[in-house]
């Protein structure tokens, strides 16, 4: 058997050494391999090299890779692909298999296969370097090895104490000697601190010290290393204290002194303020105090002992029993605020009992008043309120009381509207007017219509508009009304009645006693206002008849005066082309007729408000003749409430202006704001008023005996006859008015008029220049001119009377 085997081996060796007579090409080899794969003769994978000239099995590739790794310790996949001559794709695939076959000895990281033996050699090198320089940064090691810091840290942690003699902390590697040295420094620094300290500051100081000791080439020590050593020392009990938020260190010696200080102050004073604790370094004073004094009471700015409540409780009880009042701050320590007083009062049994039994009340935050004291003050203030009510300022239409008067007026007007309409249908005429002659800017007597004409065509007021306007302004005007007592007025009266408040303010160190009076005034003001309104309502009911009668008369007077004003305004259009004359006429009408209307309206509205406020006034029978100065008008206008004051001031401004149109506009707005209605002059009313005016002037001209006063009347009557306009001209405008009649009169009539006007001007000039001496030569000239005017009077009257009679 052995011989046979030896023979077969010999034959196999000779066959191998014999040269083949047939050679296969590379292509045939490839086809042969493919055929063998198809026939499953070759049932394993084959990889070809990059050159394409060789086949290699995966097992062989892995074997060559392992040999190379063991040789170098650390090799990249790219280098393995070059060494084995296999494509990188196949190398990467087999690298996973190689590492998984030996997980404890190899690792694949960032395209490199590294053996543990390589890390062991690196660790030995790091240890040698560490012993030389005491500390090494992981970032520096990672940069040298071209790997990540985390990988270096994990590698070193696995070999600390064996291959690497050191301590890894905060990204730094330290030698045991260096750790011991720094630990001693941290221990000494921590034990030297006696007040709360931020450890970050302490670590910064230690870093500077270490750098100074190690020289310029020393490496800065991380703060986390100091913190780690500090935490270890604190855990072992080598340093005593408490650590908050990781960096705020409070030594035990400081905490002990802190508690002793708080205990001493609190036991002596029965309270302690939070500011005091914060100065002692206690950031959460309420929590600190509640943990030490469970029976204490936390206030807003301080912490109080229950004995503080007992002291205040006794003082409050005494004040309520005496029907007096007390400022709790006067009993409490000066550092307490009003909010502290309010909170501590809520714990007083006497206060709670007084509140439940309706014996007292707390006003403001710290003032306790007995109900008996408040009632006494209120009764005395009510008497002062009566004086205030009777001496109140003027105002107009301040509340819904106005509606009552207006509704009563409308009902009265409606009940007689049928009768008025019938009378207007039958008559519809107005009486003549009486005009007083003016030679300069003297005052004019307004036109007066007959009784039937004064009644008008419409209701004097529109109720719906009145209600709407009054309700809209009610909320706004109530507080602005000068007849409502203000807080300052109430406080001043209380201080006058009870001077003790001022003494108490001085004792409390307050410069202004209103600090004490304010809460009491705020409490009493609504009750006083309610009482005042009730009294006003009662008095208003008593004066309702007078107020209604006043408004009726005011509406009638306004209707008559405003219609006449519109009639005079139309005549001004004739002189718009002459600016100087137009300005004279506008100013004259503003100072006379317009001023009379404004003064009448202001006066009557003021009377209405006084009646409404319970002030007895007698209605003036001739309110049209009331004359107010500019200052008086302004004072009255400012006394009116809200928007009514603005409207009234606009009327005052228009009276001092230069245009009648501005006055008419402002007057309409004021009347509308006051709830009054102004009639508009229509054609029918204009004809009626002109007819009555012409008739009255004709009678005056016929009866006139004064030659000087005759001229203005004749000129006014001529303007009605030829221009159909009611002209009111002052003396300085008569000459222009006469010249405007030239184209309306024949030559003889115009000559008579101009001669009479010239003679009148001459006479007035002589009278102005006369000294009153009998020997003065002007006396004869005056008599001569009077005789001349007397002779011309029949001819002048004939100019208008003849026309009127025809």
């Amino acid at each position: 058997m052995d011989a046979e085997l030896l023979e077969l081996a010999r034959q196999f060796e000779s066959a191998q050494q014999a040269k083949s007579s047939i050679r296969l090409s590379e292509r045939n080899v490839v086809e042969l391999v493919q055929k063998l794969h198809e026939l499953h003769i070759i049932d394993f994978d084959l990889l070809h090299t990059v050159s394409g000239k060789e086949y290699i099995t995966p097992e062989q590739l892995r074997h060559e890779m392992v040999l190379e790794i063991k040789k170098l310790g650390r090799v990249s996949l790219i280098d393995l692909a070059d060494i084995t001559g296999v494509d990188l794709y196949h190398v990467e695939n087999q690298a996973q298999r190689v590492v998984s076959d030996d997980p404890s000895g190899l690792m694949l990281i960032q395209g490199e296969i590294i053996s543990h033996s390589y890390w062991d050699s690196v660790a030995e090198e790091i240890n040698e370097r560490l012993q030389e320089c005491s500390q090494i940064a992981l970032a520096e090691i990672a940069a040298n090895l071209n790997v990540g810091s985390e990988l270096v840290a994990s590698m070193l942690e696995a070999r600390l104490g064996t291959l690497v003699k050191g301590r890894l902390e905060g990204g730094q590697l330290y030698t045991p000697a260096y750790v011991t040295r720094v630990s001693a420094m941290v221990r000494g620094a921590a034990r030297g601190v006696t007040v709360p300290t931020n450890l970050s500051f302490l670590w910064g100081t230690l870093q500077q010290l270490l750098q100074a000791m190690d020289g310029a080439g020393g490496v800065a020590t991380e703060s986390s290393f100091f913190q780690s050593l500090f935490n270890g020392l604190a855990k072992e009990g080598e340093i005593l204290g408490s650590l908050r938020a990781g960096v705020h260190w409070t030594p035990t010696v400081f905490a002990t002194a802190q508690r002793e200080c708080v205990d001493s102050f609190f036991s002596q004073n029965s309270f302690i303020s939070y500011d005091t604790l914060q100065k002692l370094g206690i950031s959460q004073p309420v929590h600190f105090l509640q943990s030490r004094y469970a029976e204490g009471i936390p206030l807003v700015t301080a912490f109080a002992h229950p004995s503080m409540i007992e002291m205040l409780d006794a003082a409050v009880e005494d004040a309520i029993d005496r029907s007096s009042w007390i400022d709790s701050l006067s009993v409490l320590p000066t550092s307490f605020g009003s909010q502290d007083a309010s909170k501590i009062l809520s714990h007083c049994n006497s206060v709670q009992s007084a509140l439940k039994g309706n014996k007292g009340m707390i006003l403001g935050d710290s003032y306790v008043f007995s109900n008996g004291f408040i009632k006494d003050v209120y009764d005395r203030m009510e008497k002062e309120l009566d004086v205030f009510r009777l001496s109140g300022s003027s105002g107009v239409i301040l509340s819904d009381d106005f509606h009552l008067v207006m509704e009563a007026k409308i009902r009265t007007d409606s009940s007689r509207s049928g009768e008025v309409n019938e009378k207007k249908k039958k008559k519809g005429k107005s009486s003549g007017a009486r005009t007083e002659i003016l030679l300069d800017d003297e005052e004019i007597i307004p036109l007066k219509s007959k009784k039937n004409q004064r009644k008008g065509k419409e209701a004097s007021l529109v109720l719906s508009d009145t209600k709407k306007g009054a309700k809209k302004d009610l909320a706004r005007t109530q507080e602005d009304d000068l007849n409502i007592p203000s807080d300052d007025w109430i406080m001043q009266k209380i201080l006058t009645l009870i001077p003790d408040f001022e003494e108490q303010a001085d004792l409390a160190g307050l410069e202004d006693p209103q600090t004490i009076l304010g809460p009491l005034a705020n409490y009493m003001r609504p009750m006083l206002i309610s009482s005042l309104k009730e009294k006003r309502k009662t008095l208003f009911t008593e004066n309702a008849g007078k107020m209604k009668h006043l408004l009726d008369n005011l509406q009638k007077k306004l209707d008559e005066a405003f219609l006449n004003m519109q009639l005079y305004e139309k005549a001004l259009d004739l002189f718009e082309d002459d600016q100087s004359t137009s300005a004279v006429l506008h100013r004259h009408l503003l100072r006379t007729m317009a001023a009379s209307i404004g003064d009448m309206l202001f006066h009557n509205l003021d009377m209405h408000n006084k009646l409404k406020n319970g002030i007895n006034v007698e209605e003036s029978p001739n309110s049209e003749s009331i004359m107010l100065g500019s200052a008086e008008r302004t004072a009255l206008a400012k006394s009116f409430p809200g928007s009514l004051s603005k409207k009234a001031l606009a009327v005052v401004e228009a009276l001092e202006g230069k245009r009648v149109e501005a006055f008419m506009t402002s007057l309409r707005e004021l009347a509308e704001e006051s709830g009054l209605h102004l009639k508009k002059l229509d054609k029918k009313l204009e004809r009626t008023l002109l007819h009555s005016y012409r008739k009255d002037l004709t009678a005056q001209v016929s009866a006139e005996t004064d030659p000087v006063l005759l001229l203005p009347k004749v000129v006014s009557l001529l303007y009605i006859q030829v221009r159909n306009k009611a002209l009111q001209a002052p003396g300085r405008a008569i000459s222009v008015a006469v010249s405007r009649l030239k184209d309306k009169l024949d030559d003889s009539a115009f000559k008579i008029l101009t001669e009479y006007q010239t003679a009148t001007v001459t006479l007035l000039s002589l009278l102005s220049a006369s000294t009153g001496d009998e020997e003065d030569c002007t006396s004869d000239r005056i008599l001569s001119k009077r005789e001349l005017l007397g002779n011309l009077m029949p001819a002048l009257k004939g100019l208008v009377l003849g026309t009127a009679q025809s």
Side-chain angles (χ1 to χ4, degrees):
M1 184 67 180
D2 293 335
E4 292 178 357
L5 290 175
L6 292 173
E7 180 61 25
L8 288 173
R10 187 184 61 74
Q11 292 177 1
F12 180 72
E13 183 178 1
S14 62
Q16 286 181 330
Q17 294 176 355
K19 295 183 179 180
S20 176
S21 60
I22 301 174
R23 294 179 63 85
L24 295 176
S25 64
E26 292 181 2
R27 181 177 180 181
N28 292 332
V29 172
V30 172
E31 290 179 356
L32 177 62
V33 171
Q34 290 178 350
K35 189 67 175 177
L36 292 175
H37 271 291
E38 292 175 0
L39 295 175
H40 299 288
I41 297 174
I42 298 177
D43 57 354
F44 49 84
D45 293 332
L46 288 176
L47 305 176
H48 57 78
T49 62
V50 177
S51 63
K53 295 181 178 182
E54 294 178 321
Y55 281 99
I56 185 170
T57 62
E59 290 78 5
Q60 180 64 28
L61 177 60
R62 291 196 296 271
H63 176 69
E64 293 181 4
M65 291 172 62
V66 170
L67 291 177
E68 194 66 29
I69 293 170
K70 289 181 178 180
K71 176 182 177 182
L72 299 177
R74 173 182 178 182
V75 61
S76 69
L77 299 182
I78 296 176
D79 293 339
L80 285 175
D82 293 337
I83 294 171
T84 58
V86 181
D87 187 81
L88 179 62
Y89 172 76
H90 300 298
V91 174
E92 289 177 347
N93 290 337
Q94 297 306 316
Q96 297 288 344
R97 181 76 175 271
V98 170
V99 173
S100 62
D101 290 343
D102 187 10
S104 60
L106 299 176
M107 62 178 63
L108 178 60
I109 297 174
Q110 297 178 357
E112 290 183 323
I113 298 177
I114 305 175
S115 66
H116 283 208
S117 60
Y118 172 80
W119 288 123
D120 292 341
S121 62
V122 169
E124 291 176 356
E125 293 177 3
I126 292 174
N127 186 59
E128 292 176 1
R129 185 179 174 190
L130 177 63
Q131 303 308 320
E132 293 176 359
C133 58
S134 299
Q135 59 175 317
I136 303 175
L138 293 186
E140 181 183 351
I141 299 174
N144 293 334
L145 297 177
N146 197 23
V147 294
S149 297
E150 294 179 357
L151 178 61
V152 174
S154 63
M155 181 272 295
L156 290 175
E157 287 176 354
R159 291 163 177 79
L160 286 176
T162 56
L163 297 177
V164 179
K165 308 297 182 181
R167 175 172 176 170
L168 183 62
E169 191 73 47
Q172 292 283 122
L173 188 62
Y174 306 97
T175 62
Y178 186 82
V179 172
T180 303
R181 172 188 173 194
V182 175
S183 295
M185 295 177 66
V186 171
R187 185 187 302 106
R191 289 179 177 178
V193 172
T194 58
V195 295
T197 303
N198 189 311
L199 293 179
S200 299
F201 173 77
L202 187 61
W203 304 153
T205 304
L206 288 179
Q207 277 186 345
Q208 295 176 3
L209 180 61
L210 282 172
Q211 288 180 348
M213 294 171 63
D214 295 340
V219 180
T221 305
E222 295 290 334
S223 297
S224 59
F225 180 53
F226 293 124
Q227 188 69 44
S228 176
L229 294 176
F230 179 86
N231 293 339
L233 293 172
K235 187 176 181 180
E236 295 171 0
E238 295 192 32
I239 51 177
L240 301 178
S242 60
L243 188 63
R244 181 171 54 85
V247 294
H248 298 288
W249 171 250
T250 302
T252 300
V253 62
F254 176 82
T256 302
Q258 191 181 62
R259 287 193 296 270
E260 291 176 354
C261 181
V262 171
D263 291 342
S264 175
F265 188 94
F266 190 72
S267 61
Q268 294 177 14
N269 300 279
S270 299
F271 81 95
I272 188 170
S273 67
Y274 299 145
D275 289 340
T276 301
L277 269 69
Q278 289 176 346
K279 292 177 181 178
L280 291 174
I282 301 175
S283 58
Q284 297 179 341
V286 177
H287 177 74
F288 175 84
L289 292 170
Q290 284 181 327
S291 64
R292 295 190 61 79
Y293 314 107
E295 74 282 0
I297 302 170
L299 304 178
V300 178
T301 64
F303 194 83
H305 190 270
S307 60
M308 191 74 67
I309 298 177
E310 297 172 1
M311 177 180 64
L312 180 60
D313 193 42
V316 171
E317 185 177 8
D318 178 66
I320 293 176
D321 291 342
R322 291 186 292 105
S323 295
S324 183
W325 69 280
I326 185 174
D327 179 9
S328 57
L329 289 177
S330 63
V331 179
L332 298 173
T334 56
S335 61
F336 277 34
S338 57
Q339 293 180 334
D340 295 320
S342 176
K343 195 165 184 178
I344 203 169
L345 282 173
S346 64
H347 291 82
C348 292
N349 294 329
S350 61
V351 174
Q352 302 305 318
S353 176
L355 293 176
K356 292 180 180 179
N358 200 24
K359 296 180 180 179
M361 63 182 62
I362 300 174
L363 299 180
D365 289 325
S366 61
Y367 305 105
V368 181
F369 292 87
S370 68
N371 283 8
F373 178 82
I374 292 178
K375 184 178 183 303
D376 178 62
V377 175
Y378 180 77
D379 292 341
R380 297 165 72 178
M381 284 298 297
E382 274 197 315
K383 296 179 181 178
E384 294 292 329
L385 203 61
D386 292 336
V387 179
F388 172 85
R389 176 178 55 82
L390 295 177
S391 61
S393 302
S394 298
V396 183
I397 308 174
L398 301 176
S399 67
D400 285 337
D401 298 340
F402 176 69
H403 300 323
L404 302 176
V405 175
M406 301 311 297
E407 289 171 357
K409 184 181 189 322
I410 291 298
R411 287 196 297 268
T412 304
D413 290 343
S414 299
S415 65
R416 64 190 183 192
S417 60
E419 179 184 354
V420 172
N421 290 335
E422 289 297 325
K423 290 183 178 180
K424 286 193 289 182
K425 288 179 180 179
K426 293 179 181 180
K427 297 183 179 181
K429 299 180 180 180
S430 62
S431 64
R434 179 179 178 275
T435 305
E436 183 175 325
I437 301 305
L438 301 171
L439 296 180
D440 206 329
D441 287 340
E442 297 92 345
E443 213 173 28
I444 185 173
I445 299 177
L447 296 177
K448 295 183 179 179
S449 303
K450 287 186 176 179
K451 181 178 181 181
N452 291 337
Q453 182 63 35
R454 289 199 305 264
K455 297 201 173 186
K457 293 182 179 181
E458 303 173 350
S460 60
L461 299 173
V462 180
L463 179 59
S464 61
D465 292 342
T466 302
K467 285 186 176 180
K468 189 181 298 182
K471 287 182 179 179
K472 181 178 179 181
D473 294 338
L474 176 61
R476 181 190 52 189
T477 58
Q478 280 181 341
E479 288 302 321
D480 294 336
D481 180 10
L482 294 177
N483 285 334
I484 297 297
S486 64
D487 288 336
D488 292 338
W489 183 87
I490 295 175
M491 287 188 286
Q492 187 62 38
K493 288 300 178 183
I494 294 177
L495 189 60
T496 303
L497 295 173
I498 307 175
D500 292 345
F501 283 110
E502 190 168 5
E503 297 177 4
Q504 186 68 24
D506 294 338
L507 292 176
L510 300 175
E511 297 180 359
D512 189 359
Q514 292 184 356
T515 305
I516 300 177
L517 294 174
L520 181 59
N522 292 334
Y523 173 75
M524 297 184 66
R525 185 170 184 259
M527 297 189 296
L528 292 172
I529 291 176
S530 178
S531 174
L532 178 62
K533 287 183 177 180
E534 288 297 326
K535 292 180 180 180
R536 285 180 177 175
K537 187 175 181 180
T538 302
L539 293 170
F540 171 79
T541 304
E542 296 174 358
N543 290 336
K546 292 182 180 180
M547 295 167 65
K548 174 183 170 297
H549 181 67
L550 177 67
L551 289 176
D552 285 340
N553 287 342
L554 176 58
Q555 184 66 67
K556 292 175 183 179
K557 293 172 184 177
L558 275 181
D559 288 342
E560 175 186 340
F562 193 68
L563 287 173
N564 290 334
M565 187 69 185
Q566 294 177 83
L567 187 66
Y568 294 141
E569 183 185 15
K570 285 181 173 292
L572 300 179
D573 296 338
L574 299 174
F575 298 88
E576 286 300 322
D577 57 340
D578 186 347
Q579 293 185 358
S580 60
T581 304
S582 177
V584 171
L585 293 174
H586 275 268
R587 188 164 57 252
H588 172 71
L589 198 55
L590 285 172
R591 292 181 179 178
T592 54
M593 187 68 179
S596 177
I597 294 174
D599 293 345
M600 175 188 66
L601 181 58
F602 282 16
H603 175 71
N604 281 274
L605 290 178
D606 182 54
M607 289 182 60
H608 173 272
N609 187 66
K610 289 180 179 178
L611 287 172
K612 187 186 73 65
N613 289 326
I615 301 175
N616 293 323
V617 294
E618 295 297 330
E619 184 177 357
S620 176
N622 296 319
S623 60
E624 303 95 327
S625 61
I626 292 175
M627 297 176 60
L628 300 175
S630 177
E632 293 173 312
R633 293 190 196 109
T634 302
L636 274 179
K638 289 182 178 179
S639 70
F640 296 154
S643 59
L644 193 65
S645 176
K646 296 181 180 178
K647 305 294 184 184
L649 287 171
V651 172
V652 175
E653 184 178 355
L655 286 173
E656 297 175 357
K658 297 180 179 180
R659 300 295 296 179
V660 173
E661 294 88 342
F663 168 77
M664 300 294 277
T665 301
S666 59
L667 183 66
R668 288 190 186 94
E669 292 177 354
L670 176 60
E672 182 180 353
E673 187 74 17
S674 303
L676 301 170
H677 178 69
L678 295 179
K679 292 183 178 180
K680 186 176 181 181
L681 183 66
D682 54 21
K683 294 295 183 182
K684 186 176 180 180
L685 282 174
E686 183 178 2
R687 288 195 299 269
T688 303
L689 288 177
L690 284 173
H691 177 74
S692 62
Y693 187 29
R694 177 175 180 173
K695 185 176 180 180
D696 193 28
L697 273 179
T698 301
Q700 291 182 38
V701 169
S702 178
E704 188 60 67
T705 58
D706 190 330
V708 176
L709 299 179
L710 177 63
L711 178 60
K713 296 180 180 180
V714 170
V715 172
S716 296
L717 188 53
L718 283 172
Y719 266 84
I720 292 178
Q721 292 174 353
V722 302
R723 297 281 190 179
N724 206 31
K725 300 290 184 181
L727 177 66
Q728 290 291 339
R732 66 179 66 178
I734 288 294
S735 60
V736 178
V738 169
S739 66
R740 293 295 180 100
L741 294 172
K742 183 176 182 180
D743 57 342
K744 299 294 183 180
L745 301 176
D746 55 38
D747 293 340
S748 60
F750 186 72
K751 182 179 180 182
I752 293 173
L753 184 61
T754 54
E755 288 179 356
Y756 196 95
Q757 189 262 340
T758 302
T760 302
V761 172
T762 304
L763 176 59
L764 291 175
S765 299
L766 292 173
L767 289 172
S768 177
S770 177
T771 60
D773 190 356
E774 294 181 358
E775 297 180 358
D776 192 351
C777 61
T778 57
S779 300
D780 295 336
R781 297 178 62 188
I782 292 173
L783 291 176
S784 174
K785 287 298 179 182
R786 285 189 180 276
E787 291 177 0
L788 175 60
L789 289 174
N791 295 332
L792 292 175
M793 281 180 66
L796 185 64
K797 288 183 179 182
L799 294 179
V800 290
L801 295 181
T803 305
Q805 292 169 358
S806 63

